[in-house]
Amino acid sequence: MEENQGVTSLRINGAVFCASMIDLADHTVEDIAQHRARRSAGLAANLTDGHTQELRDSVAALQARMADFSDQLYVQGAVTIDLLYNVMQDMIVYHCQRFPKELGEFHWVIDAKNPGAVTNWEDWWSKTLVIWLQAMSLVKPGAMLPGGDYRHFRRFIFDELPEYLRDVAPYADRSGGAGIDLQKMYGESFRFSSEPEPGLELVDIVTNALRRGLIGNLGEPGWLPLRGLMIHRSDVYVSPVGLLPPDRKLARALLPTMNKFRLGGRIMATPSLAWPEDEPAAAK
């Protein structure tokens, strides 16, 4: 099967598969509109008198563009933000134990909608990405693993908390660093591509297998092997996204299928680690 061939190729190359999903049957048009309004207000939530008028005008322009997108594009953006947050958290902890050099560079390639040019939505989404991720990280900051090898990742860690975050970041022990420079992490190499790139094609295969499995259009042999590419956790491996008010919970109509993603994943922690000595200066 094409799906299993894709899983095999990704496993051979040491890939880890992260996934987020949304069940729109749990949501009304009003739910999405209210979530969009809350997110729009959040764009300007941390502006202070110290910010320039130019920045204020830029934020207002982003808010105006946000209001014009279809519900489909807005939902897609919200789910993708959730996915990238989980990717960021999982990959740092996973690779600091196994392949720490992989944390020295991040190359983000996004499947483009238009082969001719970046769309208005893609441009807006790429410009607000770090804002959403920063807000999520402030509420739920990622943990630095004791004993993890962060030598190559160190250049993405703030020595001091930036001034624009000092009034909004919660108190925390920052002896190991003041947080992650998301602008650098996502800004150094970020592009949209409509070309048939091998990485994007493999992601398309496994993502479609998961989607078809969740809606019942693909038998278990086609999507259960995906678990072997995912990180094991106490909850289900696929992150369910809800755009609901705080007083409402997801109905989880897909829970029987989602529960299949509680076993068979990769264990995050390694039993024991022995780091090699620092590389000689001449080899760096």
Side-chain angles (χ1 to χ4, degrees):
M1 297 176 67
E2 182 185 47
E3 294 83 7
N4 290 337
Q5 291 174 349
V7 170
T8 300
S9 296
L10 289 168
R11 179 184 288 278
I12 290 174
N13 287 281
V16 175
F17 179 42
C18 299
S20 295
M21 57 77 66
I22 187 169
D23 186 355
L24 289 177
D26 282 346
H27 298 77
T28 66
V29 172
E30 185 61 25
D31 290 332
I32 297 172
Q34 291 180 2
H35 191 274
R36 190 196 303 237
R38 293 193 297 271
R39 276 281 176 93
S40 180
L43 281 173
N46 295 325
L47 290 178
T48 67
D49 293 339
H51 289 102
T52 65
Q53 187 60 45
E54 181 181 6
L55 177 59
R56 292 174 178 276
D57 292 342
S58 296
V59 170
L62 289 172
Q63 289 174 313
R65 292 170 66 186
M66 183 178 182
D68 289 337
F69 295 128
S70 67
D71 285 352
Q72 179 182 356
L73 287 177
Y74 176 74
V75 169
Q76 180 180 341
V79 175
T80 306
I81 293 295
D82 180 85
L83 172 64
L84 288 178
Y85 174 79
N86 292 328
V87 168
M88 177 176 66
Q89 302 295 333
D90 286 352
M91 291 304 96
I92 294 172
V93 177
Y94 185 83
H95 285 297
C96 80
Q97 302 176 76
R98 296 168 175 83
F99 315 109
K101 285 187 177 181
E102 296 295 323
L103 297 176
E105 296 180 356
F106 292 86
H107 301 280
W108 306 94
V109 184
I110 314 299
D111 192 12
K113 292 182 175 295
N114 188 335
V118 174
T119 67
N120 180 39
W121 176 80
E122 290 168 342
D123 177 72
W124 173 87
W125 179 81
S126 64
K127 289 178 177 176
T128 59
L129 165 67
V130 170
I131 299 175
W132 309 128
L133 291 176
Q134 192 75 74
M136 295 170 72
S137 297
L138 288 174
V139 175
K140 188 180 178 182
M144 300 291 281
L145 185 69
D149 186 345
Y150 294 98
R151 290 172 295 173
H152 301 276
F153 186 67
R154 189 68 186 83
R155 69 189 191 89
F156 295 102
I157 300 176
F158 287 124
D159 291 324
E160 296 182 357
L161 200 64
E163 185 175 352
Y164 66 89
L165 291 177
R166 291 174 187 171
D167 293 335
V168 295
Y171 174 79
D173 179 8
R174 305 189 189 279
S175 57
I180 298 174
D181 186 345
L182 297 180
Q183 291 283 1
K184 180 183 290 187
M185 185 174 176
Y186 285 92
E188 286 188 341
S189 178
F190 185 99
R191 63 185 175 89
F192 293 92
S193 174
S194 59
E195 299 298 321
E197 301 189 27
L200 289 178
E201 292 185 343
L202 285 170
V203 170
D204 188 56
I205 290 172
V206 295
T207 301
N208 278 328
L210 175 61
R211 178 184 58 81
R212 292 172 60 198
L214 289 175
I215 63 177
N217 287 345
L218 183 66
E220 288 190 1
W223 54 267
L224 275 182
L226 296 174
R227 301 180 304 178
L229 296 175
M230 306 177 88
I231 299 295
H232 179 74
R233 62 187 77 248
S234 58
D235 202 350
V236 293
Y237 302 166
V238 181
S239 174
V241 178
L243 309 182
L244 303 174
D247 59 343
R248 283 176 53 201
K249 294 183 178 180
L250 293 172
R252 301 288 181 94
L254 299 176
L255 195 57
T257 302
M258 294 279 279
N259 275 334
K260 299 284 187 177
F261 289 92
R262 291 183 181 273
L263 298 171
R266 296 181 176 183
I267 302 301
M268 174 67 86
T270 55
S272 61
L273 295 170
W275 300 118
E277 295 295 325
D278 287 341
E279 300 171 4
K284 292 183 179 179

